[in-house]
Amino acid sequence: MAEKSTDKKKQVPASERTTCEATRQMLEKARRDGVILDLDRGYDMKPCPIGAESACCKHCYMGPCRINPRDPYKKVGVCGATIDTISARNFGRNVATGSASHNDHGRHILELFRSVIENKTKDFSIEDTQKLERVATSIGIEVEGREVYDVAKELCDELEKTFSNVDGEMPFVKRVPEATLELWRRDGIVPRGAMIEVMELMSRTHIGCDQDYTNLITQISRTALADGWGGSMVATELSDIMFGTPSPTLADVNMGVLKEDHVNIIVHGHEPAMFEGMLAAVQDSFYVEEAKSKGAKGINLVGMCCSGAEMMSRHGVPHAGNFGSTEAVIVTGAVDAMVVDIQCIKQGLAEVAKCYDTHLITTNPRCRIEGATHIEFHEHEPRTCTDQILTKAIARYGTRKMPVEIPKQIQSGVHGFTHEYIEYMLGGTFRGSYSPLNDNIINGRIRGVAGVVGCTNPKVQQDSVHVPLVRELIKNDVLVLQTGCSQIALAKAGLLTPEAAPLAGPGLAEVCETVGMPPVLGLGSCVDNTRILIAASAMVKAGGLGNSIADLPAAGCAPEWMSEKALAIGQYFVASGVFTVFGVGFPTIKETKFHDLLFNGLENQGYGKWGTGKDPMEIARMMIAHIDKKRKELGIDKARERVLVDMSDRRDIA
Ligand code: SF4
Ligand code: MSK
């Protein structure tokens, strides 16, 4: 039986759990139906205060050992480990897991790429040969006068090293600006291969191994860089080559994309292949007719979370909501099947799906859930899986028992920006270049660039930090690049349209209006954060803004983060030179040397640094102050007043 809500006294208004109106409605309905969602579980959970600050260790069975967070240097673990060792090891293992997840994803995409070029997988192909050549050229592969197959084969062999190398440097490291790369070489943190970096970090964090936090941080950075400049970048680039590089496309977001009179299938997860397979299958006239024979007007395929963001960017597939809405959307009763692959798939979905008679279907052998139906997806025969899913979803539509209540909220926006498109949009077809962007930064129209990315977290009212933070940044002429669940939060709030340009400060608004672009550019899923890395490198290489990524007037933020992947992403941005602020909280104790290293010391060594804050205005202030500091160091600072978003601005876009 599904978990039932019993303690009504503890419940706060649903509007305190989320600022998303559709999700609020569904949370209220769930409560009426007696079903507990993650949004309530998250608020009701009282996290262990010692664990929250990473002041405990269970790396061996002499412990677990706890340190007093209020007096972290008073006590050590049974083995003598200090708080700095304990928190560095815990942080390192978080980063290792996050990096492993992205690298596993990237390696899987590489395997698919190899099987496509070897003609073993016939349902997918090389869609974008221009991108193939561009990526190959970027790592030194000769393309002139060669067959597509030859170039693809060499690229595949070369990118394999991203995972399997045990020495040398990863292939995509060739894209890193020289000064940044020199810093990594100086400190011995250039990633070799993902497998060895993750393995070495796990080994170094074993009891009685690396017990100097200043030494541990080098392997932590190296493992994180193996994610950003390794597996994640492989995933993004090869997905573009196989499924097409996104370009700006109009797409609808929020639960209003569900249709009562259609068979609704939601795809949620991170790998694009299964979603691509579903997209092809729902167009099969046989299944469309089957759906009609059950009284439906058609089949409605929508996405959620990151694979949803990726498919929205690439094909304009509608998107039903971010991580914080994946359980709530099932409460509509309108979801005939939710199909999942890997990462960020809450186990709680199985119980909620059972309550609302929705098929929850796992498709990947690396992610099965007790209580869900497993129908494995194989790239070489996608229809074996997708046809079964369609049959189940159509049958469920024909026998829908649950009342259907679909929130009306729906918002159009422009998605699908890439670093290639930014170059083209600002530089033109024949002289595509980042120089116009740099020029606008140097002349002060654009104050700087911010990446605002990452998850939602039920510890925080859903979307309540993402939206005001981004509004404050654009108001202060900071161009915002977005990915993942953060992008969906802003899309729901209506900021991913050119019509949002007036919400920006006068300089940024002028650039947006001239080019016809939104002040907030959506770049896709969490692996697509690598698009931000490449854009940052291109800005350095275009000239005028310093020699390394650390010189750029830029900052990053994951305001409502929750996953270990987010920590790996944060660390690869910091190690690449970016000031990166995390909301919600941070798993270190402020008074410790390890915390000081992350939040100050790394910057003194030439890297970026971490920051943390909870209030969106406070986070914006920190990011803008950093951007201004970099402008000053570059000698492009001008006296400028920071503009605060007022109430009338807040009401402009509901
Ligand atoms: Fe305790 Fe040391 Fe074992 Fe960790 S490794 S549990 S600090 S004894
Ligand atoms: S899905 S990692 S909740 S962005 Fe990539 Fe969203 Fe964060 Fe998962």
Side-chain angles (χ1 to χ4, degrees):
M1 259 312 280
E3 210 177 350
K4 295 282 180 188
S5 176
T6 48
D7 192 352
K8 292 244 165 33
K9 282 185 298 213
K10 278 205 300 199
Q11 281 181 351
V12 299
S15 57
E16 287 189 24
R17 308 286 205 238
T18 177
T19 60
C20 169
E21 177 56 21
T23 306
R24 181 195 65 74
Q25 284 176 38
M26 289 305 101
L27 178 57
E28 281 181 355
K29 179 172 184 297
R31 287 173 174 182
R32 287 197 302 275
D33 295 342
V35 178
I36 297 181
L37 301 188
D38 56 322
L39 294 164
D40 277 337
R41 291 197 300 272
Y43 269 73
D44 295 343
M45 181 66 68
K46 297 284 165 275
C48 161
I50 296 168
E53 293 183 292
S54 212
C56 56
C57 176
K58 49 179 183 164
H59 289 196
C60 87
Y61 213 59
M62 292 191 285
C65 301
R66 298 185 302 174
I67 304 293
N68 180 356
R70 278 158 301 284
D71 197 356
Y73 287 105
K74 199 166 177 186
K75 198 173 157 191
V76 293
V78 175
C79 66
T82 63
I83 182 62
D84 297 306
T85 298
I86 289 172
S87 47
R89 284 195 308 216
N90 288 342
F91 183 70
R93 288 201 172 185
N94 289 150
V95 168
T97 308
S99 180
S101 301
H102 282 145
N103 274 294
D104 191 37
H105 173 173
R107 194 190 52 83
H108 205 73
I109 298 280
L110 181 84
E111 277 175 15
L112 173 61
F113 185 58
R114 187 177 294 286
S115 129
V116 165
I117 57 183
E118 289 176 353
N119 213 17
K120 290 180 185 153
T121 294
K122 301 192 186 337
D123 289 81
F124 302 105
S125 59
I126 293 179
E127 272 294 312
D128 189 342
T129 51
Q130 240 185 331
K131 174 99 190 204
L132 170 74
E133 290 184 356
R134 196 173 165 135
V135 175
T137 306
S138 76
I139 56 169
I141 295 173
E142 183 57 60
V143 299
E144 208 53 49
R146 293 181 69 189
E147 294 290 329
V148 168
Y149 169 83
D150 281 347
V151 175
K153 173 82 174 58
E154 189 175 343
L155 179 65
C156 190
D157 291 344
E158 196 55 29
L159 291 184
E160 177 85 51
K161 296 176 186 165
T162 304
F163 310 101
S164 58
N165 256 5
V166 292
D167 52 24
E169 298 180 346
M170 274 186 174
F172 279 141
V173 160
K174 293 189 179 72
R175 295 170 151 190
V176 178
E178 220 168 295
T180 305
L181 186 54
E182 277 315 309
L183 178 70
W184 297 356
R185 286 181 179 144
R186 181 196 76 187
D187 293 343
I189 64 163
V190 184
R192 297 158 289 182
M195 292 188 198
I196 195 148
E197 302 313 353
V198 172
M199 183 172 73
E200 186 174 318
L201 184 51
M202 293 305 285
S203 147
R204 279 164 69 163
T205 53
H206 189 272
I207 177 195
C209 196
D210 201 345
Q211 288 152 107
D212 180 342
Y213 69 99
T214 61
N215 198 45
L216 269 166
I217 194 66
T218 58
Q219 187 56 25
I220 293 170
S221 291
R222 205 176 199 185
T223 306
L225 291 171
D227 174 349
W229 298 89
S232 281
M233 200 172 278
V234 169
T236 294
E237 300 296 62
L238 294 186
S239 296
D240 282 357
I241 291 169
M242 287 190 286
F243 309 124
T245 305
S247 60
T249 180
L250 206 59
D252 291 334
V253 172
N254 216 338
M255 290 188 203
V257 300
L258 294 174
K259 296 176 181 168
E260 183 162 2
D261 52 9
H262 280 60
V263 176
N264 291 301
I265 301 176
I266 290 179
V267 182
H268 154 34
H270 281 80
E271 290 193 340
M274 183 266 290
F275 207 149
E276 293 279 349
M278 283 303 308
L279 187 59
V282 296
Q283 285 154 26
D284 184 330
S285 56
F286 172 79
Y287 286 105
V288 175
E289 289 312 313
E290 275 292 295
K292 286 182 179 166
S293 75
K294 297 282 189 278
K297 288 197 174 139
I299 304 169
N300 184 33
L301 182 68
V302 307
M304 287 195 91
C305 240
C306 269
S307 52
E310 196 167 329
M311 294 300 278
M312 180 173 64
S313 297
R314 220 170 248 127
H315 305 296
V317 174
H319 196 290
N322 57 18
F323 181 68
S325 303
T326 53
E327 289 189 5
V329 77
I330 295 175
V331 180
T332 60
V335 183
D336 297 299
M338 178 178 275
V339 189
V340 299
D341 52 39
I342 56 162
Q343 298 171 10
C344 306
I345 320 291
K346 296 174 203 126
Q347 185 164 2
L349 289 171
E351 284 299 319
V352 182
K354 205 189 291 177
C355 290
Y356 292 94
D357 193 33
T358 289
H359 292 291
L360 177 69
I361 300 169
T362 54
T363 58
N364 194 297
R366 292 168 291 158
C367 174
R368 293 182 70 149
I369 297 175
E370 197 182 339
T373 304
H374 187 73
I375 306 175
E376 206 146 304
F377 179 81
H378 299 284
E379 285 89 352
H380 60 277
E381 45 173 17
R383 295 299 295 265
T384 310
C385 169
T386 56
D387 289 8
Q388 287 184 66
I389 292 168
L390 281 165
T391 304
K392 280 185 179 297
I394 292 168
R396 194 267 189 188
Y397 180 92
T399 56
R400 270 187 193 171
K401 297 189 270 294
M402 305 305 298
V404 170
E405 182 183 326
I406 301 175
K408 295 198 171 18
Q409 282 69 27
I410 190 165
Q411 180 68 50
S412 278
V414 183
H415 300 264
F417 288 90
T418 58
H419 62 95
E420 290 93 343
Y421 196 85
I422 294 170
E423 186 177 73
Y424 157 73
M425 175 172 70
L426 295 165
T429 318
F430 298 109
R431 51 181 182 88
S433 149
Y434 272 75
S435 297
L437 174 62
N438 286 16
D439 290 346
N440 276 308
I441 292 173
I442 292 164
N443 68 28
R445 275 195 198 91
I446 296 176
R447 189 177 203 145
V449 179
V452 182
V453 305
C455 327
T456 63
N457 183 331
K459 277 182 180 170
V460 175
Q461 186 190 29
Q462 184 192 9
D463 301 341
S464 69
V465 191
H466 291 293
V467 177
L469 166 64
V470 170
R471 293 186 62 137
E472 181 72 358
L473 290 170
I474 62 169
K475 185 84 184 167
N476 284 278
D477 290 321
V478 176
L479 175 65
V480 176
L481 308 180
Q482 288 220 277
T483 62
C485 294
S486 185
Q487 176 179 329
I488 304 307
L490 270 295
K492 288 187 290 181
L495 267 78
L496 276 93
T497 64
E499 289 70 37
L503 292 176
L508 177 60
E510 189 187 333
V511 175
C512 292
E513 277 155 10
T514 308
V515 179
M517 70 178 196
V520 180
L521 304 181
L523 273 70
S525 65
C526 31
V527 291
D528 294 331
N529 281 315
T530 61
R531 300 192 198 279
I532 302 178
L533 288 180
I534 301 171
S537 298
M539 286 169 70
V540 173
K541 289 172 188 170
L545 292 176
N547 299 320
S548 75
I549 295 176
D551 294 333
L552 294 173
C557 182
E560 300 178 28
W561 75 281
M562 63 87 200
S563 74
E564 289 174 305
K565 290 184 299 168
L567 284 174
I569 292 167
Q571 184 62 23
Y572 76 60
F573 272 106
V574 168
S576 296
V578 181
F579 173 50
T580 303
V581 186
F582 267 32
V584 188
F586 199 85
T588 51
I589 299 172
K590 203 173 171 194
E591 295 74 24
T592 60
K593 289 183 282 183
F594 181 61
H595 179 95
D596 187 57
L597 175 66
L598 296 182
F599 284 68
N600 296 304
L602 289 177
E603 187 179 44
N604 297 334
Q605 295 170 24
Y607 298 98
K609 64 174 177 178
W610 285 91
T612 186
K614 290 193 172 157
D615 176 72
M617 296 302 130
E618 177 200 0
I619 296 173
R621 180 188 54 72
M622 293 163 74
M623 294 171 78
I624 292 168
H626 181 81
I627 286 169
D628 285 350
K629 182 176 89 170
K630 292 292 164 185
R631 293 186 65 86
K632 192 162 186 211
E633 285 169 9
L634 289 164
I636 56 171
D637 56 318
K638 289 192 295 186
R640 44 188 312 156
E641 287 297 307
R642 184 164 157 264
V643 187
L644 289 168
V645 179
D646 61 23
M647 285 314 290
S648 67
D649 291 323
R650 288 181 210 284
R651 281 190 295 265
D652 277 351
I653 290 187

